[in-house]
Amino acid sequence: MRTYQSIADIPDGFGASVVTIGKFDGVHTGHRQVLRELADIADAEALQSVVVTFDRNPLSVLRPEDCPEALVSLPQKLELISQLRVDATLVLEFTRALSELSPDEFVSSILVSALHARVVLVGEDFRFGAGGTGTVSTLRELGERHGFSVRMIEDIRFSGGRRASSTWVRELLAEGRVVEAAEILGYEPSIRSVVVHGLQRGRALGYPTANLAPQIEGFIPADGVYAAWATVGEDRFPAAVSIGNNPTFDGVPEKQVEAHLLDQDLDLYDRVIEVSFVEYVRGMSKFANVLELSAQMNRDEERIRGILGVAPRL
């Protein structure tokens, strides 16, 4: 997948395209439905499939106080999109000036002049242009003028009728409900960061952990212990992951993320680790002493091995 960081990066002679536009935070099942349809149209009509997205949530510029925490970083989002047969992604820097483009200016400068759109694929609640004044009807009118068609795609809905949304995923992760979040996302929710030095308490208990630096990409689930997979480079390991401040000890920062890789004792310092959450195991608890904590960690590991299908420790 080719990634363009601005309109100026798009080469001359860029072919006719089918385009979709959105934040795509999390690239969940609803987004994936759109991107599959995008690729199918591109194949059927010999067009370039293009995603137009933004370098940040528009609310961070327009109404920062209402801007939710992102489910994925921009690099994570681009990686997820690249897995879905998309030819190119245009990442627009979302500025006040961009937000003030009229619907006609947005369509003319981006969809027509830059991308040579022949088909534009959107959801039923699509809004664009200054103040969100552009609707699907507006887009259709502009399409008739500029020579592209507009196609709508229905939302993905789950039992109970609720549609897939980034908001719903955030709600689930904030409660530690990673299994349900994975169903909405279409993949296991993940975070990643660089491994840094910790206080070695886990190693002293026989459970060495990789401590993630606070600059974490992705939405951190609720405090607790999780069964997870940890990916380092090309290698993937079963892991027990703790999130929180570990109330048994003093001075542990809030939202500390530690991953114990089962049956491994690797030097991971300064390496990037990605943690993919499989199942919530228990909440954080304060234990009377380290012996009680160690006993609970043994029970946690036994349960996590069962969840991940890993043989018991010898």
Side-chain angles (χ1 to χ4, degrees):
M1 183 184 80
R2 303 182 303 280
T3 301
Y4 303 118
Q5 300 294 337
S6 70
I7 292 174
D9 291 340
I10 299 173
D12 294 336
F14 187 85
S17 64
V18 51
V19 181
T20 190
I21 310 162
K23 297 189 295 290
F24 294 99
D25 186 24
V27 195
H28 57 61
T29 52
H31 300 141
R32 288 165 176 262
Q33 174 77 355
V34 172
L35 299 183
R36 281 193 294 269
E37 181 70 16
L38 185 82
D40 289 345
I41 294 171
D43 290 343
E45 303 188 21
L47 300 171
Q48 295 281 313
S49 58
V50 182
V51 172
V52 176
T53 191
F54 308 104
D55 67 337
R56 69 202 76 184
N57 190 319
L59 284 177
S60 68
V61 173
L62 302 175
R63 299 197 309 276
E65 68 279 6
D66 295 329
C67 185
E69 183 178 350
L71 289 176
V72 294
S73 67
L74 179 58
Q76 286 175 310
K77 176 167 68 171
L78 293 174
E79 290 166 17
L80 289 165
I81 291 173
S82 73
Q83 298 167 7
L84 296 165
R85 295 192 297 139
V86 172
D87 293 317
T89 295
L90 171 60
V91 180
L92 297 174
E93 180 184 3
F94 196 91
T95 61
R96 182 67 65 175
L98 179 65
S99 76
E100 292 172 351
L101 291 179
S102 69
D104 196 353
E105 290 170 328
F106 183 90
V107 166
S108 298
S109 62
I110 297 169
L111 299 184
V112 178
S113 297
L115 298 175
H116 309 289
R118 294 291 177 268
V119 181
V120 180
L121 185 64
V122 295
E124 59 187 27
D125 60 351
F126 178 68
R127 295 289 186 275
F128 69 106
T133 53
T135 64
V136 175
S137 295
T138 310
L139 190 62
R140 285 200 170 110
E141 291 171 6
L142 292 168
E144 291 176 4
R145 185 189 312 168
H146 292 286
F148 62 82
S149 64
V150 177
R151 303 186 195 178
M152 286 181 51
I153 190 163
E154 294 183 359
D155 293 328
I156 295 289
R157 295 189 179 274
F158 289 81
S159 56
R162 186 168 182 179
R163 72 183 183 93
S165 71
S166 303
T167 297
W168 191 6
V169 175
R170 274 188 287 271
E171 291 171 2
L172 293 170
L173 292 178
E175 296 175 2
R177 296 160 64 183
V178 294
V179 173
E180 293 153 279
E183 183 180 2
I184 310 304
L185 287 168
Y187 60 90
E188 293 162 348
S190 301
I191 61 173
R192 70 184 179 200
S193 190
V194 174
V195 177
V196 296
H197 289 272
L199 297 175
Q200 307 292 319
R201 286 175 175 142
R203 182 173 296 279
L205 294 170
Y207 289 92
T209 61
N211 294 267
L212 275 64
Q215 297 75 28
I216 289 176
E217 296 180 71
F219 191 102
I220 305 173
D223 289 1
V225 175
Y226 295 83
W229 293 99
T231 302
V232 183
E234 298 298 319
D235 298 317
R236 192 167 186 250
F237 306 99
V241 177
S242 168
I243 298 176
N245 65 357
N246 198 333
T248 302
F249 300 104
D250 295 328
V252 179
E254 292 184 8
K255 285 295 183 186
Q256 174 69 53
V257 181
E258 301 177 68
H260 168 63
L261 279 53
L262 304 187
D263 305 320
Q264 305 291 327
D265 190 3
L266 306 173
D267 182 359
L268 299 177
Y269 294 125
D270 300 321
R271 298 192 67 184
V272 174
I273 186 170
E274 181 172 78
V275 174
S276 300
F277 298 95
V278 177
E279 188 171 320
Y280 178 88
V281 173
R282 66 172 175 86
M284 297 299 288
S285 301
K286 183 171 184 177
F287 296 92
N289 52 59
V290 293
L291 290 178
E292 286 190 10
L293 173 59
S294 180
Q296 181 60 57
M297 292 170 73
N298 284 328
R299 292 191 291 271
D300 293 340
E301 179 177 337
E302 183 178 355
R303 182 176 172 189
I304 288 168
R305 286 177 180 274
I307 291 169
L308 299 178
V310 178
R313 181 194 284 190
L314 297 178

